[in-house]
Amino acid sequence: MFQPATNGQQDLIKQLACDAAISMIGVPFHHQGRHPKYGVDCVGLVICAYNAAGANIKNLANYGRIPDGRALIREIEEYTFKVSEMEIGDVLIFRFSKNPQHIALYIGDGTMVHSYIDAKCVLKEKLTPAWKKKLVAIYRVDPNVLV
């Protein structure tokens, strides 16, 4: 019988996901990449990090190079829920133009890890005022996928 993770287990999985994301710093950016050996995009980074930590997040590959923000949000909402304050392990959604099109993993202390096409790799970066201006939503991974 399925039992969701306890609060302590959830916190551990979130920390392990952050650790996994940090371990991918320097991995090349690769559109729709899902393996740290070959490269990851922003979605791939979050999926790989959480799945390495023991979560069960399915692949999201239904997007183009410039994702349809509505579709991206719909896909993300399948395994997350919207929150107003950041916690370690939260998924940050950014907008560069009209619709949301980029995600990152919040690792605490005002810092995120993301795979960013302009940087050509996974990097750790402070949430500067410029990034905060582009931030449109914060999502927390649903405890039901933290098995």
Side-chain angles (χ1 to χ4, degrees):
M1 174 183 269
F2 172 77
Q3 293 183 338
T6 65
N7 285 345
Q9 291 168 323
Q10 291 171 26
D11 291 344
L12 177 61
I13 292 169
K14 290 177 192 179
Q15 185 60 58
L16 290 172
C18 291
D19 293 345
I22 291 167
S23 77
M24 289 186 257
I25 291 172
V27 167
F29 176 88
H30 186 277
H31 179 65
Q32 293 193 2
R34 297 294 183 269
H35 196 290
K37 184 175 178 182
Y38 306 108
V40 295
D41 64 5
C42 62
V43 173
L45 171 73
V46 172
I47 290 171
C48 289
Y50 263 102
N51 288 346
N56 184 23
I57 297 177
K58 70 178 183 97
N59 186 23
L60 308 175
N62 238 359
Y63 58 91
R65 254 197 208 280
I66 300 176
D68 171 352
R70 294 171 304 248
L72 181 64
I73 295 294
R74 271 193 312 275
E75 294 263 349
I76 287 171
E77 286 179 341
E78 287 186 31
Y79 64 90
T80 64
F81 57 94
K82 199 171 187 177
V83 296
S84 59
E85 298 291 324
M86 284 180 234
E87 288 183 6
I88 288 174
D90 285 347
V91 179
L92 309 178
I93 311 292
F94 297 95
R95 172 188 353 242
F96 297 121
S97 59
K98 182 179 177 184
N99 292 310
Q101 61 194 96
H102 182 64
I103 70 174
L105 189 65
Y106 183 69
I107 61 168
D109 195 29
T111 306
M112 63 181 175
V113 174
H114 61 137
S115 186
Y116 188 40
I117 193 167
D118 289 354
K120 298 181 175 57
C121 67
V122 175
L123 67 154
K124 181 169 85 170
E125 201 167 355
K126 283 289 191 184
L127 278 164
T128 62
W131 277 110
K132 287 178 182 177
K133 185 176 178 182
K134 294 174 177 124
L135 180 66
V136 294
I138 305 163
Y139 284 86
R140 188 152 301 139
V141 175
D142 187 325
N144 292 318
V145 299
L146 301 178
V147 290

